[in-house]
Amino acid sequence: MAIWPAQWLGLVLLVSVWGSSAPASLLRRLGEHIQRFQESSSLGLGLSPGTVAIPKQGWLEQPLDPFNASDRRSFLQRYWANDQHWTSQDGPVFLHLGGEGSLGPGSVMRGHPAALAPAWGALVIGLEHRFYGLSVPARGLDMAQLRFLSSRHALADVVSARLALARLFNVSFSSSWICFGGSYAGSLAAWARLKYPHLIFASVASSAPVQAVLDFSEYNQVVSRSLMSVAIGGSAECREAASAAFAEVERRLRAGRATQAALRADLVACGSLNRAEDQAEMLGALQALVGGAVQYDGQTGAPLSVRQLCGLLLGGGSNCSRSTPYRGLRRAVQVVIHSLGQKCLSFSRAETVSQLRVTEPQESGVGDRQWLYQTCTEFGFYVTCEGPRCPFSQLPALPSHLELCEQVFGLSASSIAQAVAQTNSYYGGQTLGATQVLFVNGDIDPWHVLSVTQVLGPSKSALLIPGASHCLDMAPERPADSPSLRQGRQNIFQQLQTWLRLAKDSQVRGGI
């Protein structure tokens, strides 16, 4: 089942302007903003008639429960196709997997893997993840439906989509299918090769956190280290300024109602900061803001780079007053909310819970309810800041994260811990047994510590790019790209060349 709409660009330009600003939500909104900015900017370069083929949007009818043949319910899963470089039916297919958000036409038009397609005459297809974007089952997001949302269900979709798309596009049986993905979708790419090696020839997994973890305290440890990296504009003074800024925020929270009111105005909060739980939400969101500057450092569309953030925190000079870091953090908040198109930031825990309980899908949103459900039932990934190496507020954040799973879904802390352990047991964590997978990471990206950064064997490759942030290798190329990033992309190209040569040799041997 395929649908080809005449107008698609409007979908690219949608930017979420929700008021929710829980820590994880703010990071996800930054990621969505950057993705949409890059897609709209790059696609806009070639929209004059005849200059570039418009990507095709289609829909596949997928079983809601692929593990129960007697269940006849189904949903429509969206995909995008770019066949402008596809030279023959036996050419390779680059399957770009979507993750925890909407997948737009830019996934098959610009950046990686689309930039790699011309060299091999590849067909590029982007597959949106079930329950995200427009690929949401008709009955919505209630608990009865969400039990069909998991990485295992998503991998089953990859299998049925791969078979259906091969028929739809008349792809040769001898064609090599290579999965690409970034972040959670990068994990899916690696797991697709692990679980279905007879259908997926190889995978490129960018910034893929294949190790599930309940307490992700290492996230802020990497943020702290990256804030001191001179190569990206950080310094020891910047790291200390970040600590001083958070200390000043906490001092003002304790100083009384009048000072709290001034703090609320400084940080453009939508409501009061009287409740302890709302104060914790605010501190967590500020940590996410600083973490986002590191996670998305140097990316087109990112509101703040590490260099810019450090410039704000240090006030542009060496003789900084005690209040300079606080004023810099306040300015950083203003920059980010302006970039996201929001008037204020909500730090209300009650509002966060209320929004996460909404079961109607948000077409232009990033799927907060769905992703929270996946973290509660599979991955954890809860960013905390309790150790001495964390430069931010020392708060017992893990109980708050676990309580959110209870408040929204009724899931206990023990069940979440058990789910994380089961995920690692099922996929193998950082020692997964898949071959012909290339793991690509940046060493300033906080998520690289949950990925694979060392070569595990002759057919289990890993690439760690100095100074690169989260999924930066997948972004469109720019003149300002660092030599290490350019070399990293060249290494990806060479690995694909090796794999596809292997596939061709295998076909020749098989035909003799």
Side-chain angles (χ1 to χ4, degrees), residues 142-448:
D142 60 27
M143 285 294 287
Q145 291 275 94
L146 287 180
R147 63 193 180 94
F148 301 111
L149 170 60
S150 74
S151 58
R152 302 183 195 191
H153 287 91
L155 291 177
D157 291 340
V158 171
V159 171
S160 57
R162 183 241 187 267
L163 298 174
L165 291 167
R167 293 191 298 270
L168 183 63
F169 287 92
N170 195 26
V171 178
S172 169
F173 180 78
S174 62
S175 294
S176 298
W177 287 68
I178 299 179
C179 279
F180 294 80
S183 198
Y184 161 56
S187 299
L188 289 177
W191 294 334
R193 170 62 185 170
L194 172 70
K195 297 298 183 180
Y196 304 103
H198 58 297
L199 296 174
I200 304 302
F201 177 71
S203 292
V204 178
S206 298
S207 300
V210 291
Q211 179 76 29
V213 62
L214 193 64
D215 186 344
F216 190 16
S217 60
E218 291 174 298
Y219 182 98
N220 278 320
Q221 293 175 17
V222 178
V223 170
S224 177
R225 186 167 66 245
S226 297
L227 287 176
M228 294 189 288
S229 172
V230 176
I232 58 173
S235 65
E237 292 78 12
C238 177
R239 196 267 193 200
E240 292 306 312
S243 293
F246 277 85
E248 180 63 14
V249 170
E250 289 194 83
R251 187 192 71 77
R252 297 188 182 212
L253 283 174
R254 297 190 299 265
R257 292 295 177 89
T259 306
Q260 281 186 16
L263 178 67
R264 169 191 169 187
D266 285 346
L267 300 181
V268 203
C270 298
S272 72
L273 297 173
N274 297 334
R275 296 176 178 271
E277 61 183 13
D278 297 340
Q279 294 177 11
E281 287 282 295
M282 181 199 69
L283 290 168
L286 292 177
Q287 290 176 23
L289 183 148
V290 176
V294 171
Q295 180 169 317
Y296 298 111
D297 178 70
Q299 301 204 23
T300 302
L304 285 173
S305 65
V306 169
R307 189 178 304 277
Q308 292 168 329
L309 175 64
C310 289
L312 293 174
L313 293 174
L314 294 171
S318 56
N319 296 322
C320 300
S321 68
R322 175 181 174 181
S323 62
T324 297
Y326 170 77
R327 291 200 304 267
L329 183 61
R330 180 183 64 187
R331 177 59 182 151
V333 170
Q334 295 168 350
V335 169
V336 169
I337 67 170
H338 176 75
S339 296
L340 296 181
Q342 296 182 207
K343 295 181 179 180
C344 59
L345 293 177
S346 171
F347 302 123
S348 168
R349 174 72 169 204
E351 183 179 332
T352 295
V353 172
S354 176
Q355 290 179 342
L356 288 169
R357 285 175 173 167
V358 174
T359 59
E360 289 78 23
Q362 304 289 326
E363 288 187 8
S364 63
V366 291
D368 286 327
R369 176 176 169 85
Q370 300 97 298
W371 182 240
L372 177 65
Y373 180 80
Q374 287 198 262
T375 67
C376 296
T377 56
E378 290 191 90
F379 306 123
F381 293 155
Y382 302 123
V383 176
T384 63
C385 184
E386 300 176 54
R389 288 184 290 177
C390 183
F392 310 123
S393 302
Q394 306 293 307
L395 295 172
L398 184 59
S400 177
H401 287 299
L402 300 179
E403 183 184 6
L404 198 59
C405 295
E406 169 68 32
Q407 291 174 314
V408 178
F409 301 118
L411 298 171
S412 67
S414 60
S415 72
I416 301 166
Q418 183 179 9
V420 169
Q422 289 175 342
T423 297
N424 289 328
S425 176
Y426 183 72
Y427 293 118
Q430 291 170 306
T431 59
L432 75 170
T435 60
Q436 289 181 197
V437 176
L438 173 61
F439 289 94
V440 185
N441 286 279
D443 69 352
I444 69 166
D445 175 22
W447 292 95
H448 84 268

Side-chain angles (χ1 to χ4, degrees), residues 33-43 299-301 475-476:
H33 170 76
I34 292 166
Q35 176 187 337
R36 297 298 184 222
F37 187 93
Q38 292 179 358
E39 286 185 355
S40 61
S41 298
S42 59
L43 285 169
Q299 301 204 23
T300 302

Side-chain angles (χ1 to χ4, degrees), residues 21-30 284-285 288 368 371 381-382 401:
S21 296
S25 175
L26 181 58
L27 268 178
R28 286 162 51 68
R29 267 160 185 72
L30 284 171
D368 286 327
W371 182 240
F381 293 155
Y382 302 123
H401 287 299

Side-chain angles (χ1 to χ4, degrees), residues 8 42-43 52-55 81-82 84 105-111 114-115 124:
W8 51 266
S42 59
L43 285 169
V52 66
I54 293 178
N82 174 9
Q84 67 180 115
S107 64
V108 298
M109 293 301 294
R110 291 292 187 272
V124 184

